[in-house]
Each structure stands twice: as structure tokens, then as C-alpha cells.
Amino acid sequence: MNIQATDIATYNFAYLDEQTKRMIRRAILKGIAIPGYQVPFASREMPMPYGWGTGGVQVTASIIGPDDILKVIDQGADDTTNAVSIRAFFKKVADVAVTTETEKATIIQTRHRIPEAPLHAGQVLVYQVPIPEPLRFLEPRETETRKMHALEEYGLMHVKLYEDIARHGHIATTYAYPVKVEGRYVMDPSPTPKFDNPKMNMSPALQLFGAGREKRIYAVPPFTKVVSLDFEDHPFEIQKFDQPCALCGAEQVYLDEVILDDKGGHMFVCSDTDHCEKRREDGHRGHMAPENESRASPSSSAGPSPRKDGEEEAPTLTPPSPRPLRGEGKGEGQHQTFEKSREAE
Amino acid sequence: MTDEPLFRVTSLSKYYGSRVGCEDITFDLWPGEVLAVVGESGSGKTTLLNCMSTRLMPTSGTAAYRMRDGTWRDLYRMSEAERRFLMRTDWGFVHQNPADGLRMTVSAGANVGERLMAVGDRHYGNIRSTAIDWLGRVEIGEDRIDDQPRAFSGGMRQRLQIARNLVTGPRLVFMDEPTGGLDVSVQARLLDLLRGLVTDLGLAAIVVTHDLAVARLLSQRMMVMKDGRVVETGLTDRVLDDPRAPYTQLLVSSILQV
Ligand SMILES: Nc1ncnc2c1ncn2[C@@H]1O[C@H](COP(=O)(O)OP(=O)(O)OP(=O)(O)O)[C@@H](O)[C@H]1O
Ligand SMILES: [Mg+2]
Ligand SMILES: [Zn+2]
């Protein structure tokens, strides 16, 4: 405890100095005032390399207060190294309470997922964003993409979807699926699966997006319309899973494939570890749930055992690669390369 | 038909610092008329074309365009949003180098479909069938629709660029040396195609070229430029058969000697 106290003394609250936090808050406010618009900000060096969520961390650091309760997830899981490190970081530099429960959190910093449990008013979802510009892939010139946003020239977004259909027979974009915010700005929802897109629409929570390397912040205020782009004859659809979670039996949730052995054994489980755990606590069982288990997280059967809050060690940073034994969601084979190329942040 | 011009250029000048780009140009372009702008290298053809299409702001002078609803608009006083809208709906621009006018990393179908999507077409099936139709009109087989222009020959790329421009039914097309980089036989075929399209669609066009044969084949009227100024204007056949300005006489005779 003493060590903790002296550690805090060496940092300003939440690591960033007040001047920087004010600057970032101004960018956030501007972002909220113009939903979906990318606001440039003077991104600071953080004690972690780009690609570790420095954008999200700066946003969180600028909005967090001593009474906040923080949850951090990486691809839906609270127990990955990256999520553990960021949570430990804020415990150390802001001495805030942390949780894995979506319900209880006031701020949820996320990489690549939106929790399954509906968010409520007063919560803030902070996304870590590698590439904020949805037009980048077809128009590399920044001057031109800015003009396109300013003049609302978004034909190019549909060119991308057209190419998908021409090549694959359907819209094959499954992550970072472009959306139009409040009928005006086209926005990249960060590499979340398109499964989560409908959750962004009219959400009671405030959604903030931080891109550290690219120095951009954008926002979706509560109760804002967020519409996924599509064609009349190829309407937007979310991923469907033809089986429920193997551990908790949940349907209509996003599943990850977990490899069980090197003989091809695998199962599909909730990517949202908190959601899965909650359901099992409530007595739900999937077809591969261990007998008589109590309070085990899905990854305890496949990955490192979860740490209880308070037992977390100092941050040890390892690359934010997918959890070792977990694949991407099913049916995303061809998407994987796409996502990797976006992963450069 | 209408008794009003489509485009009106008045005392247009563009200087690059102290160098003359083009100087004191005045003329009207009529609906459905093809005007060739000829002259040697550096005479100001591209400068004039770019000023007219608002890709470049002139130093002085005006350019007015008659919109579809019949109202005249001063192009240099329009907002950028309005100008860009005009450029992708009512106008086309065919570059000498197709790579400047195409998206080289998306399919031929998407290249043709882009303008449709830009003006709000949201039906994949319609976009695709319109693209197939336009590829056919520029003699590109339906089986090439999903290929990228990178896999096309120079002539095919140029034809694709033309289809991409014409798909929204523009009234005016700007062309800067449209047959410039192509071999003679490919040029001839492209010229035939262009002539057919321009006639069928009743397009007005400004064609910049230093090739008098291109002017003869495509245009009804021509304008001869030298050192940034217009030295002679008239019906193409008249200018080529009976040139009046000494410079035009020289130009025509030197071509005939080749
Ligand atoms: N960006 C520029 N900066 C400075 N001078 C320029 C620029 N563009 C053109 N010029 C000059 O303006 C004059 C007219 O050039 P322009 O490109 O309009 O000629 P052109 O008739 O199209 O020639 P070409 O047949 O070679 O394409 C030339 O003297 C040229 O050097
Ligand atoms: Mg030129
Ligand atoms: Zn589950």
C-alpha cells in the first residue's frame, strides 16, 4: 500500500498532466458536438507503444475521475494481457476501482468488441482505434479524404462494398464495417465485428474513439443514429452463428473459436467473457460446460487462468495479438488478413 | 433546339507568375458542339481546358455555364461542393493518361459504377447492369467487368475512362489529348468510337489536341492557339482547307508535308 502511494505521487492523476487532459477534453467535446467527425488532437507519448491502445488510454485518462469504475476488454475478454495491463495502469496512476462486470463499470475501454449486456445511460465506452479514416483504403490522400467528408462525398464507400459483392457474392467486410452517423459523417467503428454495429445505434451510452498514432478523436453521443452502409439488394446483415456458446448456451452473441488440442478439437464460446460468466452463474449451461463447475471463466479451460482484481501485477506488455488459443470468430477466414493489415497501429 | 450557348468564356487569362498560360480568351460553346483546341506544345491548351473545367482558377476573366434548368452560373463563384457535383454529374473529364482518371486498384465495373454510387444509386444489380452496358458501348467484354484496369491495355484503359465519364449522361466532356499515348491503329479505333458516342449522345466536347487529324475527325469547329492566345477560330473544315492566319497556314502546311 505504501509503495502504491509513493507511486501515485510520482504521476499526475491519471498520468497525463492537466493541460493535456484539457486539450483532449476539448477534442472530445468537439467530437460530441459533431457526431462521427474526426477531430485532430495532439496525441502524447504514453508509457506504452502505439498499437497498445494509446488513443483509448489518453481518452480514458482525460475523462476518468476518482469515483469511476473502470472495465477494460480486449476482443471481449477482461483477462488478456493487454486488458490486464491497461487496467493495472489506471489502478496505479488513478487509484480507481476496476471491475470486469459490464453492469457496474462507468467507463469501459475496449479493443474490438462492444459488450453483449446492453449499456445504460451514464456509461462511457472508449474504443481503441488503429485507423480512423474509413476512406483511407481507396483514397490515400488525406487532403482528399478531408474534402470528401466536408462535402459529404461518400460514393467511394459504396465502391468498396460493390467490390466486395463483385468478388465474393456478398458484402464480405466483417470488421470495421463503415457506418453513417446521424445521417452525416461516415465513420469507421474501429475493428469491431459488424455483429456489434447495431449496438452502436441509439445507444444510451456515450461512445468515444481514440486513435493515438493517427492523432484523431471522434464520438457518438448517446441516442445517436448509427446506420451500417449497404445496398438495397444486399442489405446489411450481422454474422450468424449456427450453434450456441458451448459453455453457457447463449444464442445471438458473438462467438470465438477456441482450439482445444492439436487434433482439430475446438468449441465456440462467448467472446464476451463477463457475459458468459454471468450466464453460468445464473445456471445456464452449454453442451461442453464442465460438470459441477462454479465460477469458471471460459478462458480458464483454454487460456491462462483469470486473475482476481487486486491480484494484478505490474503491467507487463506483450503485443496485442489474439489470445494464443483463440481464433477469430467463425467464418472470418478471409477477413483475418484484412484485419492483420489494419493492426499496424 | 436551343438558341443559347452552353458555355461562355469571356476574357479569360491565366498567368503563372509572369509567364503566360493563356491570355484574353473569349468564345462560346454550343450544346452538342465539339470544339477542337489545337496548337503547339506550350501554347496554353491545357491551361485553358483546366480553367474551363475549374480544375484551375484563372487570373482574370469569367466562365459561365448554363445548367440543366436553364440558369446561367458563374463557375468561379460557385461553391466547391457545387463545382464538384457538376464535375461528376453534368461533366466528364478524359485525361491523356488513363491512370489519372481511373482508380487503378478497383475493378472495371466499380470504375464505371462509381459515379452512379456518388449520386446515390444504392442498388447493386442496377449499378452492375449499367456498368455492363457501358463496357459494351466502349467495346470491353462483359467478362472483363471484375478485372482491374491494371490488367488492361492502354487502349482499353482509355475506353474504360470514357465509359466511367459518360455513365451519368453528362452534357459536356473535356478531353486533353485523349488519343495521345496510343499507337496509330489503336488511336483510329478510339477516335471512331468517340465520334460515334459524341454523335449518339449529342454531347458537347472540348478536345485538346496537337493532332490536326484528330481535330478533323471529331470536331465541327476549331480554335488555333499560339503563345497563350487564340490566333484563329472557325469551322474545322474551313480552317484546315483554307487557313487565314499565317501561323495556321504554317501549321497546316507542315502537317500536310509529313
Ligand atoms: N504549373 C505551371 N507553372 C508554371 N508554368 C506553367 C504551368 N503549367 C503550364 N505552364 C506554362 O504555361 C504555358 C502553357 O502551358 P500548357 O500546359 O497550357 O500548354 P499546352 O498547350 O497544353 O502544351 P502541351 O501540348 O505540351 O501539353 C507554357 O509556357 C507552360 O510552360
Ligand atoms: Mg497540354
Ligand atoms: Zn457463453
Side-chain angles (χ1 to χ4, degrees):
Chain A
M1 280 299 128
N2 276 338
I3 294 166
Q4 191 99 352
T6 36
D7 273 359
I8 292 166
T10 55
Y11 299 105
N12 191 36
F13 179 78
Y15 189 81
L16 292 174
D17 61 89
E18 294 306 310
Q19 198 67 13
T20 300
K21 282 194 256 179
R22 269 199 292 276
M23 174 273 291
I24 293 174
R25 285 177 203 140
R26 274 196 296 272
I28 292 171
L29 286 173
K30 183 168 179 183
I32 292 170
I34 317 171
Y37 172 75
Q38 298 166 46
V39 184
F41 80 110
S43 184
R44 292 289 191 260
E45 293 291 324
M46 296 303 286
M48 57 193 77
Y50 291 127
W52 299 80
T54 56
V57 167
Q58 290 179 79
V59 168
T60 299
S62 303
I63 61 169
I64 203 164
D67 298 333
D68 273 311
I69 304 168
L70 178 69
K71 170 182 165 80
V72 182
I73 48 172
D74 182 354
Q75 300 194 45
D78 297 90
D79 59 9
T80 60
T81 319
N82 205 36
V84 169
S85 301
I86 292 173
R87 203 159 55 226
F89 173 75
F90 280 109
K91 273 184 72 176
K92 186 172 175 186
V93 301
D95 195 26
V96 291
V98 294
T99 183
T100 58
E101 292 180 61
T102 301
E103 265 292 289
K104 289 191 180 146
T106 57
I107 299 174
I108 303 168
Q109 180 168 330
T110 178
R111 174 176 173 273
H112 301 194
R113 271 315 306 280
I114 299 175
E116 303 292 356
L119 300 181
H120 53 75
Q123 289 184 308
V124 185
L125 188 58
V126 178
Y127 297 76
Q128 302 170 199
V129 180
I131 297 173
E133 180 48 74
L135 297 161
R136 172 81 48 89
F137 293 94
L138 288 165
E139 180 51 77
R141 290 168 298 174
E142 169 91 21
T143 47
E144 189 62 18
T145 54
R146 276 200 217 177
K147 201 167 277 179
M148 290 166 145
H149 283 295
L151 302 178
E152 227 177 320
E153 289 181 6
Y154 289 129
L156 211 48
M157 271 337 305
H158 276 87
V159 168
K160 184 168 182 283
L161 299 180
Y162 170 98
E163 287 289 86
D164 255 12
I165 303 171
R167 228 175 287 156
H168 309 289
H170 62 275
I171 299 178
T173 302
T174 51
Y175 282 73
Y177 191 105
V179 294
K180 195 164 208 181
V181 180
E182 203 61 19
R184 178 57 180 87
Y185 285 96
V186 166
M187 184 185 94
D188 187 330
S190 87
T192 49
K194 67 177 180 179
F195 181 89
D196 287 339
N197 276 21
K199 296 178 192 163
M200 307 181 78
N201 183 41
M202 298 307 277
S203 171
L206 168 63
Q207 303 175 73
L208 301 177
F209 300 78
R213 191 193 50 194
E214 303 258 341
K215 303 179 172 53
R216 291 287 185 280
I217 284 172
Y218 50 101
V220 174
F223 302 107
T224 299
K225 266 185 268 163
V226 178
V227 178
S228 303
L229 304 183
D230 62 2
F231 286 103
E232 288 156 22
D233 48 344
H234 287 268
F236 172 79
E237 280 174 356
I238 59 170
Q239 291 102 327
K240 288 196 184 70
F241 299 90
D242 47 21
Q243 57 196 108
C245 169
L247 294 177
C248 77
E251 296 179 27
Q252 269 120 48
V253 296
Y254 193 76
L255 301 179
D256 278 342
E257 185 178 6
V258 177
I259 310 294
L260 297 172
D261 51 46
D262 53 11
K263 296 185 207 75
H266 64 115
M267 62 178 177
F268 289 100
V269 299
C270 292
S271 121
D272 183 335
T273 53
D274 173 60
H275 185 73
C276 200
E277 214 165 305
K278 279 265 151 42
R279 282 180 52 85
R280 281 143 68 209
E281 270 169 21
D282 293 346
H284 296 282
R285 285 288 176 278
H287 69 282
M288 287 179 82
E291 295 299 319
N292 302 325
E293 66 150 9
S294 61
R295 226 190 126 73
S297 84
S299 46
S300 64
S301 56
S305 58
R307 295 192 189 88
K308 285 234 169 71
D309 294 328
E311 296 169 7
E312 280 173 5
E313 294 151 14
T316 43
L317 297 173
T318 57
S321 57
R323 280 159 283 165
L325 293 174
R326 290 184 157 218
E328 299 289 327
K330 90 182 186 64
E332 313 299 352
Q334 62 165 27
H335 184 77
Q336 288 188 8
T337 44
F338 178 57
E339 203 207 0
K340 283 208 183 80
S341 69
R342 293 186 60 110
E343 209 57 270
E345 189 210 14
Chain B
M1 279 290 279
T2 169
D3 53 0
E4 268 196 290
L6 182 65
F7 206 114
R8 179 161 268 173
V9 176
T10 313
S11 310
L12 197 77
S13 300
K14 170 72 190 176
Y15 301 96
Y16 300 101
S18 58
R19 176 179 294 146
V20 176
C22 65
E23 197 165 43
D24 197 25
I25 314 273
T26 299
F27 68 92
D28 290 343
L29 180 76
W30 294 80
E33 180 185 38
V34 179
L35 175 75
V37 180
V38 301
E40 63 192 34
S41 183
S43 58
K45 308 180 294 292
T46 296
T47 301
L48 172 63
L49 195 76
N50 287 342
C51 285
M52 289 181 70
S53 59
T54 72
R55 295 157 54 82
L56 202 61
M57 281 292 145
T59 312
S60 61
T62 59
Y65 182 69
R66 192 162 53 79
M67 309 291 281
R68 280 176 194 255
D69 64 4
T71 57
W72 281 94
R73 297 295 306 273
D74 180 341
L75 292 174
Y76 306 130
R77 285 168 196 265
M78 276 168 103
S79 71
E80 185 172 21
E82 287 177 301
R83 280 204 307 264
R84 285 172 68 115
F85 184 74
L86 201 59
M87 281 190 213
R88 61 171 193 264
T89 55
D90 220 19
W91 293 357
F93 197 107
V94 177
H95 298 259
Q96 174 172 353
N97 179 1
D100 294 337
L102 292 173
R103 289 196 190 279
M104 298 301 280
T105 56
V106 306
S107 67
N111 264 287
V112 177
E114 181 174 347
R115 274 180 168 228
L116 297 172
M117 294 182 248
V119 297
D121 201 323
R122 294 289 175 265
H123 192 284
Y124 175 83
N126 291 349
I127 294 165
R128 196 159 171 91
S129 54
T130 309
I132 289 170
D133 176 45
W134 268 100
L135 290 175
R137 288 164 89 163
V138 298
E139 299 164 14
I140 296 175
E142 183 178 339
D143 59 327
R144 305 303 301 268
I145 189 170
D146 294 328
D147 293 346
Q148 295 185 358
R150 287 194 285 211
F152 287 4
S153 69
M156 281 175 85
R157 288 181 187 184
Q158 198 56 301
R159 282 180 273 132
L160 179 63
Q161 193 190 181
I162 289 162
R164 171 177 160 87
N165 273 280
L166 298 187
V167 68
T168 48
R171 293 191 300 159
L172 171 61
V173 180
F174 300 94
M175 301 187 221
D176 196 349
E177 307 274 6
T179 58
L182 306 172
D183 327 330
V184 181
S185 64
V186 180
Q187 264 191 34
R189 185 172 163 206
L190 186 70
L191 281 172
D192 261 1
L193 181 85
L194 264 178
R195 191 163 58 160
L197 285 172
V198 164
T199 316
D200 291 351
L201 302 167
L203 281 175
I206 311 255
V207 185
V208 160
T209 178
H210 57 258
D211 184 342
L212 297 184
V214 171
R216 169 89 84 184
L217 208 62
L218 283 182
S219 71
Q220 290 103 40
R221 206 152 58 98
M222 65 185 272
M223 213 159 80
V224 183
M225 292 183 71
K226 183 175 185 339
D227 300 332
R229 291 183 157 262
V230 174
V231 294
E232 181 162 2
T233 313
L235 293 179
T236 302
D237 290 341
R238 202 281 296 153
V239 173
L240 291 177
D241 297 339
D242 177 23
R244 293 180 189 160
Y247 175 74
T248 317
Q249 290 169 357
L250 194 70
L251 199 68
V252 170
S253 63
S254 65
I255 291 297
L256 292 179
Q257 280 162 16
V258 176

